[in-house]
């Protein structure tokens, strides 16, 4: 039986090719994901290990030992640094500080994004060098007017030694000369950030660390171990600090990197599982058709003494051989995918440290197991059916087609699974239980897959008027598509799964973007918002500067404060009561901005309901400094995730703030938003790279950019599943053409020319593809609706938005898939010799 199975594999190489490709792609996705995450993780680990070369023990603040970080005395002082350096087991000690530093490129734009642009100190030792930085050009900065840049930043900005750059740390724009370019193993730089070095005194002054360091690192003298040095340091450590050895630091960083890459790895593996799940349909289809075509052969084996178990085993051996080949090829392709992913992420702007490709011993073993197990599981049912072929079938070459009873049983099971899934889904939506929702969605998807043969007839029948317009070819295509509902369903289901996920993700993404835009943009009457790139506070001078512009008609600060009402937490924002009505459009359920005065407060509906407040009521608000203000409700509005809490005049807030800063300034211009108006604001603020000036569209684009980037990544991952589904359509049609060779020969003999044969196969392919697309889009819309009900509980402005244009594109792509998938089978069918086909059994 083994020799028989081997002969069958070699005899049907072309037919099994698509199955091999389907399994190979799924295995490649899994292998590529494992190799990629291992490679990236190892590269970051080695990079982080290099960055600790100059460290034996690090001294840092122990935050767990302090109840109030803001009130504690400075710990990592110059005095502690000198003590550490003077220890017998210490060769050197270095104090480090770092913080946000906005560096402008040659176009005046911020380099990097937010906190990824950092500044740090260059702290030379007795030999005049800082072991953390290796200068490749020029020298280290020595005065407040000088800086140095890391080599990656210098390369992407085009700055060279001797250039003058513009940057901002503590607010005002500074112009400094680049005195040198250096290499560093700093993790932020390795991950695509930038690093600006100042001399030690300037860095501490600018970064607000004049009294202490962020960390003190000590290098052990020759002959002193990490443990010995740590023990020496432990005897002089002040309370509230801790000493950590290099090995522990490296392990902490390695754990952090592992946790960061784990989520990405898990996501990729989820989509690999989807791709393999789709591949199961193709494998099952292939072996089902192979078994059907070998009915006489299998019956003869039974007639000469082969048992049912031997027949099943022969089919499984074929699957084993196919799985082995696919797994080996998939592993090889997976390595290529890993290399491609690394390049792709690099092209998107992320930087991965250099390092070799890492293939752990478990990866090829995983690929082998997955390829073989998935293939054999998918082939088990066809093998079981093959064993049931009665020996008498060998005498008449007839094998009974699937019975109506079998379809009734399948439909009953599918209906039960779908009903249970729908019930779990609705329960999850009503109870806000994500686990029930996920389980319900999965069960519904499986239930619909089981029901697909039942659904195929009415859906394809609905397309009859269109198909009839193609004459005889169209009518034959429709009949062929519904002739074997199981096969049509299995082929369409593969495409359905991909489009279900794509549709659901698209609808949710578009709806969430619309909800956020409504929160962030629709309530704004202002033309611009001005804020810091990092989210830090703006100096009140910014608002004063903008008020002096003749083009400005209204401005208002947005000044955050926090406190409580009757023990309940309630955020508060200070605004200008005279201008806020021109800049902000709140949905008032009572009152308005008009009555807002020295003791007035605008309260969101949720806070008002929680404390029983209404317009005209007074209440006590306790600030974080433990002082209280008696405020009067002058208006109640519907809040959302972007705008909530209380609005009061800045005069109420300012006395309770340690430092008066604005997280945002709203600005209205005389001529509205325009390129010239934005340029006026940017120039008035000194073209500061740390300050962000955004109109409504820029705010919307910033939100949409993140969502669209995520959606495009998901599209790319799901494309693998769709590609496998396309292979399934090709495979099904090719084997269907072979199966109907006799029938096609008869059609050719009675006058159906080659062009209409091709058209018949193409239309059959398009019908099957569109059937899968219609089911997938319908199921995707339903799942998006269910998920949206849950999202709307957290996102008040969420409403389901159906992107009809994208859905039309999905349907169009499904039709294109059908046409392309039919190209080879249609050409093969048209080339059949009519006389030879008629003689075929």
């Amino acid at each position: 039986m083994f020799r028989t199975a081997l002969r069958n594999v070699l005899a049907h190489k072309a037919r099994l090719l698509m199955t091999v490709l389907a399994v190979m792609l799924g295995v490649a996705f899994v292998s590529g994901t494992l190799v990629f995450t291992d490679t990236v993780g190892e590269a970051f680990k080695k990079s982080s290990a290099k960055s600790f070369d100059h460290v034996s023990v690090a001294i840092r603040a122990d935050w767990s030992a302090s109840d109030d970080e803001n009130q504690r005395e400075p710990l990592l002082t110059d005095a502690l640094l000198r003590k550490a350096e003077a220890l017998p087991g210490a060769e050197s000690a270095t104090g480090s500080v770092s913080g946000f530093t906005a560096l402008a490129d040659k176009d005046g734009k911020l380099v990097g994004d937010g906190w990824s642009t950092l500044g740090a100190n260059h702290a030379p030792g007795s030999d005049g060098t800082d072991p953390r930085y290796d200068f490749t050009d020029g020298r280290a900065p020595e005065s407040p007017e000088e800086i140095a840049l890391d080599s990656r930043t210098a390369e992407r900005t085009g700055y060279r030694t001797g250039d003058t750059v513009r940057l901002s740390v503590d607010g005002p724009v500074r112009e400094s000369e680049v005195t040198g370019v250096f290499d560093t193993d700093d993790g932020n730089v390795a991950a695509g950030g930038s690093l600006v070095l100042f001399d030690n005194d300037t860095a501490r002054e600018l970064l607000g660390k004049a009294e202490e360091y962020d960390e003190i690192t000590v290098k052990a003298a020759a002959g002193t171990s990490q443990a010995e040095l740590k023990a020496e340091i432990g005897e002089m450590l002040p309370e509230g600090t801790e000493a950590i050895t290099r090995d522990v630091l490296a392990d902490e960083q390695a754990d952090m990197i592992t946790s960061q890459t784990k989520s990405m790895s898990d996501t990729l593996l989820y989509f690999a599982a989807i791709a393999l799940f789709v591949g199961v349909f193709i494998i099952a289809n292939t072996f089902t058709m192979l078994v059907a075509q070998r009915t006489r052969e299998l019956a003869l084996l039974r007639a000469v003494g082969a048992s049912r178990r031997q027949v099943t085993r022969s089919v499984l051996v074929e699957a084993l051989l196919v799985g082995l080949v696919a797994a080996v090829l998939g592993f090889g392709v997976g390595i290529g995918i890993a290399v491609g992913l690394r390049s792709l992420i690099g092209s998107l702007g992320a930087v991965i440290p250099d390092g070799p490709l890492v293939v752990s011993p478990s990866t090829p073993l995983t690929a082998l197991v997955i390829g073989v197990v998935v293939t054999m599981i998918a082939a088990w049912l066809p093998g079981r059916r093959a064993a049931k072929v009665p020996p008498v079938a060998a005498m008449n070459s007839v094998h009974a087609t699937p019975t109506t009873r079998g379809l009734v049983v399948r439909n009953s099971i599918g209906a039960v699974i779908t009903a249970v899934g729908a019930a779990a889904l609705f329960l999850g939506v009503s109870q806000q239980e994500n686990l029930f929702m996920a389980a319900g969605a999965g069960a519904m998807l499986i239930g619909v897959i089981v029901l697909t043969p039942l659904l195929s007839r009415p859906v394809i029948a609905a397309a009859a008027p269109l198909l009839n317009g193609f004459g005889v070819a169209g009518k034959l295509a429709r009949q062929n598509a519904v002739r074997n509902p199981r096969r049509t369903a299995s082929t369409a289901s593969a495409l359905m799964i991909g489009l279900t996920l794509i549709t659901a993700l698209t609808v949710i993404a578009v709806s969430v973007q619309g909800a956020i835009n409504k929160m962030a943009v629709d309530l704004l009457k202002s033309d611009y918002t001005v804020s810091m790139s990092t989210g830090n506070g703006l100096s009140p001078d910014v608002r004063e500067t903008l008020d002096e512009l003749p083009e400005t008609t209204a401005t208002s600060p947005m000044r955050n404060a926090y406190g409580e009402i009757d023990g309940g937490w309630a955020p508060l924002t200070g605004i200008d009561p005279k201008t806020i009505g021109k800049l902000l459009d709140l949905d008032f359920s009572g009152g308005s901005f008009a009555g807002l005065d020295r003791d007035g407060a605008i309260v969101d509906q949720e806070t008002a309901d929680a404390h029983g407040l209404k317009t005209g009521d007074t209440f006590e608000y306790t600030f974080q400094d433990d002082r209280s203000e008696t405020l009067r409700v002058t208006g109640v509005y519907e809040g959302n995730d972007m705008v909530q809490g209380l609005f009061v005049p800045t005069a109420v807030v300012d006395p309770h703030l340690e430092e008066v800063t604005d997280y945002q300034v709203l600005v209205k211009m005389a001529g509205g938003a325009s390129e010239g108006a934005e340029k006026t604001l940017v120039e008035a603020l000194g073209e500061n790279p740390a300050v962000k000036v955004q109109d409504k569209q820029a705010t919307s684009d910033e939100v949409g950019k993140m969502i669209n980037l995520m959606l495009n990544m998901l599209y790319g991952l799901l494309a693998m599943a769709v590609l496998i589904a396309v292979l399934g359509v090709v495979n099904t049609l090719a084997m269907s053409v072979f199966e109907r060779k006799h029938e096609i020969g008869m059609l050719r003999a009675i006058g159906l020319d080659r062009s209409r044969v091709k058209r018949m196969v193409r239309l059959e392919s398009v019908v099957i593809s569109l059937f899968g697309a219609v089911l997938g889009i319908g199921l995707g819309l339903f799942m998006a609706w269910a998920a949206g009900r849950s999202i709307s509980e957290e996102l008040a402005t969420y409403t389901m938005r159906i992107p009809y244009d994208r859905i039309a594109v999905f349907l169009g792509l499904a039709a294109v898939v059908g046409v392309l998938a039919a190209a080879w089978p249609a050409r093969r069918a048209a080339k059949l010799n009519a006389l030879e086909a008629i003689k075929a059994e």
Side-chain angles (χ1 to χ4, degrees):
M1 294 304 293
F2 177 79
R3 289 196 297 271
T4 301
L6 182 60
R7 181 184 62 79
N8 284 326
V9 170
L10 297 175
H12 302 119
K13 292 187 292 292
R15 300 184 208 175
L16 291 170
L17 176 62
M18 294 299 175
T19 301
V20 170
L21 286 174
V23 181
M24 181 195 76
L25 287 173
V27 171
F29 208 159
V30 175
S31 302
T33 298
L34 295 175
V35 172
F36 172 71
T37 51
D38 286 345
T39 299
V40 172
E42 190 64 22
F44 274 112
K45 286 175 185 177
K46 286 185 176 179
S47 176
S48 65
K50 287 180 184 177
S51 66
F52 294 129
D53 283 349
H54 64 284
V55 180
S56 298
V57 177
I59 306 173
R60 63 188 185 187
D62 183 3
W63 302 118
S64 62
S66 176
D67 294 329
D68 189 347
E69 297 171 15
N70 295 319
Q71 299 298 322
R72 67 173 178 78
E73 293 294 323
L75 298 173
L76 307 182
T77 59
D78 281 310
L80 182 62
L81 175 65
R82 288 191 292 271
K83 283 183 181 179
E85 195 170 22
L87 290 172
E91 177 182 314
S92 63
T94 305
S96 60
V97 296
S98 65
F100 170 69
T101 300
L103 175 69
D105 61 19
K106 290 187 176 182
D107 295 324
K109 303 295 184 182
L110 177 68
V111 175
D113 183 21
W115 287 104
S116 66
T117 48
L118 297 178
N121 64 322
H122 181 267
S126 56
D127 60 354
T129 65
D130 188 326
R132 297 172 296 175
Y133 312 112
D134 179 20
F135 277 81
T136 58
D137 185 39
R139 59 171 175 81
E142 297 173 352
S143 71
E145 293 77 28
E146 298 178 340
I147 65 156
L149 293 176
D150 72 89
S151 55
R152 293 179 187 268
T153 300
E155 182 178 353
R156 62 176 165 161
T157 58
Y159 287 132
R160 297 289 182 267
T161 300
D163 288 349
T164 299
V165 300
R166 301 175 70 256
L167 52 89
S168 175
V169 178
D170 54 354
V173 176
R174 302 169 58 90
E175 291 194 351
S176 303
E177 180 187 352
V178 179
T179 61
V181 176
F182 60 90
D183 285 336
T184 177
D185 293 316
D186 184 276
N188 177 68
V189 175
S194 62
L195 185 62
V196 176
L197 284 189
F198 303 94
D199 69 273
N200 191 49
D201 292 338
T202 302
R204 297 182 68 185
E205 179 184 351
L206 291 178
L207 300 174
K209 310 290 175 62
E211 296 186 8
E212 70 173 333
Y213 295 98
D214 293 327
E215 186 178 69
I216 294 175
T217 57
V218 186
K219 186 174 182 179
T224 304
S225 68
Q226 295 179 41
E228 291 170 342
L229 180 59
K230 181 183 176 182
E232 287 184 25
I233 293 174
E235 295 177 1
M236 51 152 283
L237 279 182
E239 185 179 354
T241 61
E242 60 179 348
I244 305 295
T245 63
R246 177 179 60 205
D247 292 341
V248 174
L249 287 171
D251 289 342
E252 286 181 353
Q253 188 141 358
D255 290 341
M256 181 183 68
I257 292 167
T258 300
S259 65
Q260 289 173 344
T261 57
K262 185 178 185 301
S263 59
M264 176 175 60
S265 173
D266 289 346
T267 301
L268 291 171
L269 287 174
Y270 290 146
F271 284 96
I274 292 170
L276 285 169
F277 184 58
V278 171
V280 166
F281 292 93
I282 300 175
I283 301 165
N285 247 5
T286 302
F287 279 94
T288 297
M289 287 186 281
L290 284 174
V291 167
Q293 292 167 13
R294 286 160 40 204
T295 296
R296 186 174 185 182
E297 175 189 326
L298 294 173
L300 283 170
L301 287 173
R302 291 291 312 283
V304 297
S307 66
R308 286 189 175 187
R309 183 174 297 179
Q310 285 178 308
V311 171
T312 302
R313 195 180 300 150
S314 71
V315 175
L316 291 177
V317 168
E318 288 183 51
L320 172 66
L321 296 173
V322 170
L324 283 172
V325 173
V328 172
L329 293 175
F331 175 67
V333 174
I335 293 176
I337 289 176
V339 174
L341 277 173
R342 187 169 179 172
S343 300
L344 175 63
I345 289 179
S347 67
L348 293 176
V351 179
I352 298 174
D354 295 330
L357 201 67
V358 177
V359 181
S360 66
S362 61
T363 301
L365 182 62
T366 302
L368 190 65
V369 170
I370 288 175
V372 172
V373 170
V374 167
T375 309
M376 292 186 70
I377 288 175
W380 175 78
L381 188 58
R384 189 167 171 269
R385 287 176 185 160
K388 291 183 178 181
V389 176
V392 73
M395 302 175 186
N396 53 20
S397 299
V398 174
H399 176 48
T401 58
T403 62
T404 304
R405 178 177 174 276
L407 283 174
V408 170
V409 172
R410 174 171 177 157
N411 293 337
S412 300
I413 294 172
V416 170
I417 295 174
T418 304
V420 171
L425 188 61
F426 281 112
L427 180 63
V429 170
S430 62
Q431 300 296 322
Q432 294 298 299
E433 288 287 345
N434 292 334
L435 183 60
F436 277 111
M437 288 181 61
M444 275 198 69
L445 183 61
I446 293 172
V448 172
I449 290 170
V450 177
L451 282 173
T452 309
L454 176 66
L455 300 172
S456 63
R457 288 186 179 276
V459 174
I460 293 175
L466 291 175
L467 291 172
N468 291 341
F470 291 92
V472 175
K475 292 178 182 178
L476 290 171
R478 178 176 60 82
Q479 292 171 1
N480 289 334
V482 297
R483 174 184 296 181
N484 190 330
R486 282 190 175 91
R487 183 187 305 165
T488 297
S490 184
T491 305
S493 293
L495 193 59
M496 180 192 77
I497 295 168
L499 282 174
T500 296
L501 296 172
I502 287 173
T503 302
L505 290 170
T506 300
V507 172
I508 291 171
V510 169
S511 300
V512 168
Q513 182 174 339
I516 294 176
N517 285 349
K518 188 173 183 179
M519 288 191 297
V521 178
D522 291 358
L523 55 81
L524 289 178
K525 289 183 182 178
S526 63
D527 297 313
Y528 292 97
T529 60
V530 179
S531 60
M532 289 288 286
S533 301
T534 58
N536 282 350
L538 290 165
S539 167
D541 295 341
V542 171
R543 194 264 177 116
E544 294 175 7
T545 300
L546 297 176
D547 273 339
E548 294 174 359
L549 296 175
E551 297 89 347
T552 302
T553 59
T555 67
S556 174
M558 303 289 278
R559 197 165 292 169
N560 276 348
Y562 300 94
E564 299 177 347
I565 302 174
D566 297 331
W569 184 253
L572 180 145
T573 302
I575 44 88
D576 185 338
K578 296 178 181 178
T579 59
I580 193 63
K582 301 176 184 179
L583 301 164
L584 208 57
D585 185 16
L586 298 182
D587 182 13
F588 283 97
S589 57
S592 67
F593 283 125
L596 193 60
D597 51 21
R598 175 63 181 82
D599 64 345
I602 304 294
V603 183
D604 67 292
Q605 190 68 57
E606 184 178 349
T607 302
D609 292 342
H611 301 284
L613 299 175
K614 60 182 182 301
T615 303
D617 289 350
T618 59
F619 62 94
E620 288 289 320
Y621 187 90
T622 304
F623 286 85
Q624 282 186 299
D625 61 2
D626 293 328
R627 290 186 294 163
S628 300
E629 296 277 356
T630 301
L631 302 175
R632 177 173 48 86
V633 180
T634 61
V636 178
Y637 72 97
E638 292 292 339
N640 56 48
D641 287 351
M642 300 290 286
V643 177
Q644 58 183 323
L646 284 65
F647 288 95
V648 299
T650 53
V652 176
V653 178
D654 291 354
H656 302 278
L657 299 177
E658 289 186 12
E659 181 183 6
V660 177
T661 60
D662 304 323
Y663 79 86
Q664 197 175 65
V665 176
L666 305 181
V667 184
K668 194 167 185 65
M669 306 295 283
S674 67
E675 187 175 337
E678 182 174 343
K679 184 178 180 181
T680 298
L681 294 177
V682 171
E683 290 178 350
L685 296 172
E687 299 184 17
N688 193 324
V691 178
K692 183 167 58 176
V693 178
Q694 291 181 302
D695 60 12
K696 292 182 182 181
Q697 187 59 49
T699 303
S700 176
D701 290 345
E702 187 173 51
V703 175
K705 180 181 178 182
M706 294 183 290
I707 294 175
N708 286 329
L709 177 62
M710 180 179 66
L711 190 60
N712 289 334
M713 287 179 62
L714 295 176
Y715 281 165
L717 294 171
L718 286 171
M720 184 71 76
V722 174
L723 178 59
I724 293 174
V726 172
L727 292 176
V729 177
V730 176
N731 207 18
T732 298
L733 288 173
M735 299 189 77
S736 179
V737 166
F738 179 84
E739 193 177 73
R740 303 201 313 260
K741 187 186 295 185
H742 180 80
E743 176 188 319
I744 293 172
M746 290 293 294
L747 290 171
R748 289 290 313 282
I750 62 175
L752 194 69
D753 58 27
R754 289 186 173 182
S755 63
R756 284 191 288 181
V757 170
K758 286 183 180 180
R759 191 179 306 149
M760 175 186 71
V761 177
R762 287 197 195 103
L763 288 173
E764 181 183 351
S765 176
V766 170
V767 166
I768 293 174
S769 297
L770 287 176
F771 170 51
V774 168
L775 285 184
I777 289 171
L779 198 57
L781 289 173
F782 178 76
M783 290 187 176
W785 168 82
R789 292 293 299 272
S790 177
I791 295 171
S792 63
E793 295 294 326
E794 303 293 331
L795 200 59
T797 54
Y798 182 93
T799 54
M800 183 173 171
R801 302 187 182 194
I802 301 177
Y804 293 102
D805 53 342
R806 297 195 193 188
I807 288 176
V809 170
F810 296 159
L811 283 171
L813 288 175
V816 172
V817 162
V819 172
L820 295 177
W824 177 56
R827 190 162 173 264
R828 183 180 179 187
K831 282 188 172 183
L832 285 176
N833 184 287
L835 294 177
E836 290 181 2
I838 290 172
K839 292 189 296 181
E841 295 186 5

